[in-house]
Amino acid sequence: MALRVKVLGPIVAEIDGVEVALGGPRQRAVLAVLVAARGQVVSAERVLDAAWDEGEPASMPTLHSYITRLRKALEPGRTNRSPESVLARVGNGYTLRVEPDAVDAERFARKVGEGQLLLEAGDHSAALAVLGEAVELWGGQPYGEFAGAAFAVPEIARLQGLFLSARESLYAAQLALGRHTVAVPELEKLTAEQPMSERGWELLVLALYRSGRQGDALAALRSARRVLAEELGIDPGPGLRELEAAVLAQDDTLRPGGAAPLPESGGNLPFPVTALVGRTAEVEQVAALLAEHRLVTLGGPGGIGKTRLALETARARDDADGPWLVELAGLADPSLVAGAIAQVLGLTGPVTAQRLAYALRGRSPLIVIDNCEHLVAAVRDTVAELLAGAGGVRVLATSRETLGVPGEALYDVPPLSTADARDLFLSRARAAAPGWEPTPAELANAERLCQGLDGLPLAVELAAGQCRMLSVEQILTSMDDRFSVLTDGAGPRRHRTLARTVEWSYDLLEPAERELFHRLGAFASGFVLDAAAAVCGRPVLGGLGALVRKSLVAVEPGTSPRRYRLLETIKEFARARQDPAELAEAQAAHRAWVLGRAEAADARIRGEGAAAAMEVLLADQAEHRAAFTSAMLAGDGGYALRLTGLLSWFWYRRGHVAEGLASLSAAMELYPDAEPGVRSQALIGMAGLHYLAGDFVAASRRAREAAEMARLADDLVAEGQALTYRALFGGLCGAPNALADARAALDLAEVAGMEWLHAEALMVLGMLLVFARETGEAAEWLTDSIAVATGTGHRFVTASSTWLLMKIDLLTGRTDRPLASGLPILRMLDEDKDVTSWLVMAHTLAGVLAAGGLPRDGARLLGAVEAVGARVGFSPPELDPADGAERERLIRHALPADELAECLREGAGLSPAQVHDLLDTLIRSRVH
């Protein structure tokens, strides 16, 4: 099976030459994101951010669904259980595994590079053929409909730059082969399309001149000068100026070449992340050397602070061109040094040191070349050519070995003074352990520690990081073995400092500690000792202490019990080093721990422990999502369905309607053949969430399905809950037998023997009677439900039944009692972290205030409800469409428009506690 993907134009995938369907825009966008990554792993979160617009809802379950569909399209012969060969999951992300030539953009880029190398080598015929093939691959706007998407912009810019370079090189090859006349019309088209390309103008002038059209060549030069002046306000670069002189002189040595000028810019130095400590004198000394010498090299051992000193010195200058930072730490091939500098300077096409020097003539840039020690010979030759060929260039280099270029000024970066090293240690230690202030003894130990570390900034900062776990005295006695590694002269290049530091700590781990380190990578956020022990299957205090000491695990200061976490960079390191089978085992253990916590919380969430259970579930949300994601990626639909069923009541009370419905739907889709008991719980959860969303028809349908599944599972409790929901949601849809269903549900609830279910069934029967305006009987059932709920601690039912009794009071014209009874319930719901019920109660109280002659206060309360509801995506009138809409109408019609708007704005700024205080003040004023 031959898969090909095309992005040079509309996005197309073909298998054996036959186009395959890629689905809708978002699904196609997911594929585009992975193609643009060029074989790199893209985290699931990054795919969501890139493929969805800001205004569109995005969820992990939807992404998983799109991935599944794309796999079916791109791997039609793959079975559900066979490994992915094309669209593969790696860790927490995805990658597109295809040969580079299977993607037209990669094939195009390869041919452009090959063609330019052939052109530079003088093989013009071969270059012409290869570049012609490259240009033929171009099918129009890369990435088609996603041309404006943020994820595609860098890749499109790269490809368009390559396309321009390919066309320019193609015409250069034609000129080198003497095909001047043929090239002229194509070059005229190119300069019309790309008028800012000076290389294109140079090639056109040469083609015209070599075709015997000197006058037209000069006219083209005038056009180039006019376009550059009008569009950019600049004169032509040195290449065009020298070419103009050569044409006027009819110079026989005219030949293809020239380079684009260095872009005018303020440079590319990164902004500092931390404040510089000390180094004031050193910055001044290096600046003085740089003013006198065109090449200054900062030397010294690894970790001495060469890069930071170079950046601070360069940042303090006011160069018109630059400063330009060229980082060589990740470069291994000496032949690419000139190309790395050219890339930073914005130069395209074949690159040599001579071409760089030519491009920089007439300019005065400062170029900072960082980490030269492993490429000394190549850097020496390139810098020597730049300094000799471009008189305005200055170079500030960092290296552990001098470059050996004539005129080089060497500055050995000294260690920090004891005072500056101590200040650096204290600054970084306070950041690592907020609130820590050293005692006099600790200050003395800090000075001794910094002296022992020879004032090396990297070693001092790493030592300061240990303050998260150890005292200064402990660090002082434990740093001896680390010092030799941290100050190794052949140590890491700058970009690998963190990775090498982590790797060094990793290599020191005992096998049991290493296993623990990998296991802890399964956590999505912070964790406590008990959680780590559960996921790792053994006590972890000793091992965890070792990981903290080796800077692989962070301690969250001020937490009780102590919480620990892995930084994201370290977590990725752990996952990258972990065997896939071990990672899967760790994730499975994490899922088991998450499910156990969710089951324990579910057992308490409808009783006296509801508030504590909600606290646990709130704290575990990141772990819920991580466990759900890993289950979906592992194809464990049964787990995903069980977990989402357990979380559905939490989602209901917190108002997480969209997340809950999306997760439940994805789990149901992945595991359509779930056993009836598991499926009934998920369907009950979906029914409740559809109800919150105001979709009563879907809620009623899901409740009916849940009742059928519960009956098949012989689960009386689930069946009683499903029948209770079916009666309520059916009644909201106008079902004539809703009251009969509610009475049947009440009978079943009594048989099931669960008091919380009995309380809910009583409440629903009373609620349906309120809807039917049978208020007398309704009040009796609701009073009974409150009594049962109070006995079992089911505060949700207590609140809901009280709310319904308030509605009865409003229907009978009483506004004093609802206000007094509503406030305690509102406080209770806030304690229970029940957002949706709080909003419904507050919305009703707003109507109570308006009906009682306090429309301004009612409008303020309505403003608070609307603000909180907007944040969680829930609107109380959707839950109570008839009476809720009437309450809002009463408030809005009671006030002039400007006064209403002012009150709503005031209310939007109120916190729940301020709402409670407002109501308390109103109640007290009525009493007195």
Side-chain angles (χ1 to χ4, degrees):
M1 182 186 75
L3 172 65
R4 295 250 174 174
V5 180
K6 298 179 180 180
V7 294
L8 297 178
I11 295 181
V12 175
E14 297 177 348
I15 297 179
D16 297 330
V18 178
E19 184 173 344
V20 299
L22 295 178
R26 292 285 69 78
Q27 186 169 307
R28 294 164 63 84
V30 170
L31 177 61
V33 170
L34 297 178
V35 175
R38 303 175 66 196
Q40 297 297 310
V41 176
V42 185
S43 69
E45 291 81 5
R46 173 73 184 116
V47 176
L48 279 177
D49 290 341
W52 270 259
D53 296 330
E54 290 184 0
E56 294 182 309
S59 66
M60 201 63 71
T62 304
L63 172 61
H64 299 326
S65 175
Y66 286 162
I67 291 289
T68 300
R69 294 172 190 171
L70 285 171
R71 282 185 180 139
K72 290 180 181 178
L74 301 178
E75 303 174 70
R78 175 180 169 270
T79 62
N80 287 337
R81 296 297 178 183
S82 60
E84 311 96 351
S85 60
V86 176
L87 212 168
R89 177 174 66 89
V90 180
N92 193 35
Y94 299 95
T95 184
L96 189 67
R97 286 180 176 165
V98 294
E99 292 297 324
D101 271 9
V103 180
D104 61 352
E106 298 304 310
R107 203 157 63 250
F108 165 77
R110 177 179 60 79
K111 287 183 177 294
V112 173
E114 291 174 357
Q116 290 179 336
L117 287 174
L118 290 168
L119 183 64
E120 187 176 16
D123 192 347
H124 303 124
S125 296
L128 184 64
V130 173
L131 290 166
E133 292 172 2
V135 171
E136 282 294 319
L137 288 172
W138 193 262
Q141 171 65 55
Y143 288 88
E145 66 264 40
F146 306 110
F151 75 85
V153 170
E155 184 65 358
I156 291 172
R158 180 182 76 92
L159 293 171
Q160 290 177 334
L162 281 172
F163 183 53
L164 174 59
S165 183
R167 294 172 71 190
E168 291 171 344
S169 297
L170 176 70
Y171 303 138
Q174 288 182 337
L175 295 184
L177 292 170
R179 302 177 185 177
H180 317 305
T181 305
V182 174
V184 166
E186 293 298 324
L187 283 166
E188 287 175 334
K189 179 181 178 183
L190 175 65
T191 53
E193 294 173 353
Q194 302 288 340
M196 301 300 113
S197 170
E198 292 198 32
R199 190 183 181 207
W201 285 108
E202 292 168 8
L203 293 169
L204 175 58
V205 170
L206 282 172
L208 290 168
Y209 181 84
R210 292 186 175 187
S211 299
R213 299 165 59 182
Q214 182 179 358
D216 290 337
L218 290 171
L221 284 164
R222 288 193 296 272
S223 296
R225 183 181 294 276
R226 185 184 69 254
V227 168
L228 292 172
E230 291 177 353
E231 296 295 329
L232 301 179
I234 62 172
D235 292 327
L240 274 173
R241 294 199 303 269
E242 293 179 11
L243 181 60
E244 183 176 24
V247 170
L248 288 170
Q250 298 185 9
D251 192 339
D252 291 336
T253 62
L254 286 174
R255 61 183 184 278
L262 177 69
E264 299 274 0
S265 172
N268 68 336
L269 296 188
F271 291 103
V273 177
T274 57
L276 181 68
V277 178
R279 298 301 196 196
T280 302
E282 289 90 336
V283 170
E284 293 175 355
Q285 292 163 3
V286 175
L289 283 175
L290 201 54
E292 183 179 353
H293 303 274
R294 294 179 58 211
L295 169 62
V296 176
T297 300
L298 306 185
I304 198 69
K306 300 182 295 294
T307 298
R308 185 63 185 269
L309 180 57
L311 292 176
E312 294 297 332
T313 303
R315 191 176 288 113
R317 291 170 58 91
D318 56 356
D319 299 275
D321 284 349
W324 303 97
L325 175 61
V326 181
E327 300 174 288
L328 301 183
L331 201 65
D333 188 347
S335 66
L336 300 178
V337 169
I341 298 173
Q343 183 177 13
V344 169
L345 300 179
L347 304 176
T348 60
V351 177
T352 63
Q354 293 84 357
R355 182 170 183 258
L356 278 175
Y358 184 72
L360 294 170
R361 290 179 185 175
R363 302 282 185 174
S364 301
L366 170 63
I367 304 174
V368 180
I369 306 179
D370 192 29
N371 290 107
C372 304
E373 59 268 7
H374 61 299
L375 300 168
V376 167
V379 175
R380 177 176 58 240
D381 294 341
T382 302
V383 170
E385 186 71 39
L386 289 177
L387 297 176
V393 172
R394 290 182 184 274
V395 175
L396 179 58
T398 71
S399 178
R400 294 176 189 153
E401 181 180 351
T402 60
L403 301 183
V405 176
E408 177 185 23
L410 179 64
Y411 183 84
D412 282 319
V413 179
L416 291 170
S417 68
T418 300
D420 284 343
R422 182 203 58 205
D423 290 345
L424 176 63
F425 178 87
L426 295 177
S427 172
R428 303 302 188 253
R430 288 189 179 104
W436 173 71
E437 285 298 329
T439 65
E442 287 176 321
L443 284 173
N445 281 336
E447 286 198 7
R448 291 172 54 205
L449 174 63
C450 294
Q451 288 172 345
L453 295 175
D454 289 330
L456 292 171
L458 176 60
V460 171
E461 293 200 16
L462 289 171
Q466 298 297 326
C467 286
R468 292 168 293 180
M469 186 72 180
L470 303 174
S471 69
V472 180
E473 182 179 1
Q474 287 176 304
I475 298 170
L476 181 61
T477 59
S478 65
M479 286 299 291
D480 290 343
D481 293 338
R482 303 178 184 188
F483 173 73
S484 60
V485 176
L486 292 173
T487 59
D488 185 0
R493 287 168 270 172
R494 186 177 66 84
H495 268 199
R496 296 184 181 179
T497 299
L498 177 59
R500 289 287 178 87
T501 302
V502 176
E503 187 173 17
W504 167 73
S505 297
Y506 179 82
D507 289 342
L508 293 178
L509 297 178
E510 298 295 331
E513 295 170 349
R514 190 170 296 183
E515 181 187 354
L516 171 62
F517 176 60
H518 288 311
R519 285 267 179 166
L520 296 178
F523 285 101
S525 59
F527 54 89
V528 296
L529 278 174
D530 290 346
V535 170
C536 297
R538 65 176 188 275
V540 297
L541 180 59
L544 189 58
L547 295 179
V548 171
R549 289 194 302 273
K550 295 167 185 177
S551 297
L552 292 173
V553 173
V555 181
E556 298 181 5
T559 54
S560 181
R562 281 284 188 266
R563 289 182 65 84
Y564 308 86
R565 62 188 176 90
L566 275 70
L567 297 176
E568 285 303 316
T569 301
I570 294 177
K571 194 181 298 181
E572 291 302 320
F573 179 91
R575 290 172 178 168
R577 288 299 189 96
Q578 194 169 13
D579 178 79
E582 293 178 356
L583 174 61
E585 184 180 342
Q587 290 176 332
H590 176 260
R591 290 198 296 272
W593 171 75
V594 169
L595 190 67
R597 300 252 303 172
E599 288 172 339
D602 183 69
R604 296 184 297 156
I605 204 167
R606 291 180 175 85
E608 295 288 355
M614 290 291 287
E615 289 280 6
V616 169
L617 293 171
L618 273 171
D620 286 353
Q621 283 185 94
E623 307 303 335
H624 298 156
R625 290 161 183 153
F628 176 78
T629 298
S630 72
M632 295 294 288
L633 291 173
D636 191 350
Y639 176 93
L641 205 56
R642 284 192 295 275
L643 179 63
T644 52
L646 289 168
L647 296 177
S648 61
W649 186 237
F650 167 74
W651 286 330
Y652 180 102
R653 300 193 75 182
R654 292 297 297 173
H656 297 172
V657 179
E659 179 183 4
L661 286 174
S663 299
L664 283 160
S665 298
M668 297 263 291
E669 181 180 347
L670 183 63
Y671 193 33
D673 300 323
E675 53 269 28
V678 174
R679 193 171 180 84
S680 67
Q681 290 297 332
L683 287 166
I684 287 170
M686 294 184 78
L689 293 170
H690 279 304
Y691 167 57
L692 281 189
D695 190 347
F696 302 144
V697 173
S700 178
R701 182 177 67 252
R702 291 303 190 185
R704 286 197 306 273
E705 294 171 0
E708 293 170 6
M709 290 295 105
R711 197 173 298 114
L712 290 174
D714 198 23
D715 186 337
L716 285 181
V717 175
E719 185 179 358
Q721 190 177 12
L723 287 176
T724 300
Y725 277 15
R726 188 181 73 176
L728 174 60
F729 305 149
L732 290 169
C733 293
N737 58 342
L739 278 172
D741 286 346
R743 297 182 193 279
L746 178 59
D747 293 339
L748 187 58
E750 292 174 347
V751 173
M754 299 297 289
E755 288 300 290
W756 67 263
L757 179 60
H758 185 200
E760 287 190 8
L762 287 167
M763 176 196 70
V764 166
L765 179 56
M767 190 173 184
L768 289 171
L769 288 167
V770 171
F771 292 160
R773 297 303 188 251
E774 299 289 341
T775 56
E777 185 182 357
E780 295 177 6
W781 291 112
L782 292 171
T783 302
D784 289 347
S785 76
I786 291 175
V788 175
T790 301
T792 194
H794 197 356
R795 304 212 297 184
F796 168 81
V797 171
T798 300
S800 298
S801 293
T802 301
W803 169 66
L804 290 165
L805 288 172
M806 289 166 55
K807 287 167 63 75
I808 292 174
D809 284 338
L810 286 174
L811 289 172
T812 57
R814 298 193 61 177
T815 59
D816 52 341
R817 192 164 61 181
L819 192 60
S821 60
L823 178 56
I825 297 297
L826 208 59
R827 294 187 191 276
M828 182 182 73
L829 291 169
D830 189 42
E831 292 173 4
D832 285 356
K833 305 294 188 295
D834 189 334
V835 176
T836 53
S837 299
W838 186 93
L839 287 169
V840 171
M841 179 63 74
H843 190 268
T844 300
L845 288 171
V848 169
L849 292 173
L854 298 171
R856 288 181 59 84
D857 293 310
R860 290 190 185 96
L861 191 50
L862 179 60
V865 169
E866 290 180 342
V868 175
R871 288 196 292 271
V872 300
F874 172 69
S875 176
E878 291 181 351
L879 200 71
D880 186 18
D883 296 339
E886 176 60 25
R887 284 193 292 273
E888 283 204 15
R889 188 198 64 77
L890 180 65
I891 295 169
R892 295 182 186 280
H893 288 188
L895 295 171
D898 56 345
E899 193 173 345
L900 173 66
E902 179 187 357
C903 292
L904 291 173
R905 279 195 302 272
E906 291 174 359
L910 296 177
S911 67
Q914 290 171 323
V915 168
H916 303 160
D917 290 344
L918 170 65
L919 291 171
D920 188 54
T921 300
L922 293 173
I923 292 171
R924 290 176 184 275
S925 66
R926 286 197 169 191
V927 171
H928 299 292

